Amino acid sequence: MTDDTAVATDTRPTKIMYVAEATAHGGRDGYVTSQDGHLELKVAMPPVLGGDGNGTNPEQLFAAGFSSCFHNALILVGNRAGYDLTGSAVTAKVGIGPNKQRGYGLAVALSVSLPVLDPDLATKLVAAAHQVCPYSNATRGNIDVTIVLG
């Protein structure tokens, strides 16, 4: 449905309302903790990248954050338009691979399920959510983000 392209719109916050803080210990083979103690996770490289897979990884954490944030934006725009999005869901797939600058890059595929809405309305709400979601705004023009209705 959507293939992300760069847009010259300023999406920086005008006011910071909340700050999350997390600390990594040991990089991709260690652990992460949040300042408030709610997050304490072992981090490990997935087997496909040469690790033992005995822990979560940054891509899973990014997928969890993006999917929950996008879903909340979708619910927000749906509610503003008078729609109940009960039963909806958003799945994020985050891929990592080498880039042309000898570093690594990410790509995201979001799959949105809006089973109670007709496809045209669902498409409009997804497009509106993509403008509201902070993850969408942060990644726009930086990484490929594809959104499909499923």
Side-chain angles (χ1 to χ4, degrees), residues 25-98:
H25 308 267
R28 286 180 170 270
D29 285 309
Y31 64 99
V32 294
T33 59
S34 63
Q35 173 273 335
D36 63 6
H38 289 296
L39 182 69
E40 292 185 25
L41 297 170
K42 180 173 175 28
V43 181
M45 292 280 279
V48 70
L49 296 179
D52 64 13
N54 191 19
T56 191
N57 60 65
E59 292 71 37
Q60 289 174 329
L61 296 171
F62 191 74
F66 205 151
S67 63
S68 62
C69 190
F70 193 90
H71 194 213
N72 196 71
L74 187 61
I75 291 168
L76 176 71
V77 299
N79 287 342
R80 284 179 180 169
Y83 298 100
D84 178 6
L85 299 186
T86 300
S88 62
V90 175
T91 300
K93 293 181 181 181
V94 175
I96 184 171

Side-chain angles (χ1 to χ4, degrees), residues 85-135:
L85 299 186
T86 300
S88 62
V90 175
T91 300
K93 293 181 181 181
V94 175
I96 184 171
N99 64 23
K100 294 178 182 177
Q101 285 73 43
R102 299 184 55 171
Y104 292 86
L106 299 174
V108 175
L110 297 174
S111 178
V112 179
S113 174
L114 291 165
V116 297
L117 298 180
D118 73 64
D120 288 338
L121 177 58
T123 298
K124 289 177 184 172
L125 291 179
V126 166
H130 194 39
Q131 297 306 309
V132 170
C133 176
Y135 277 67

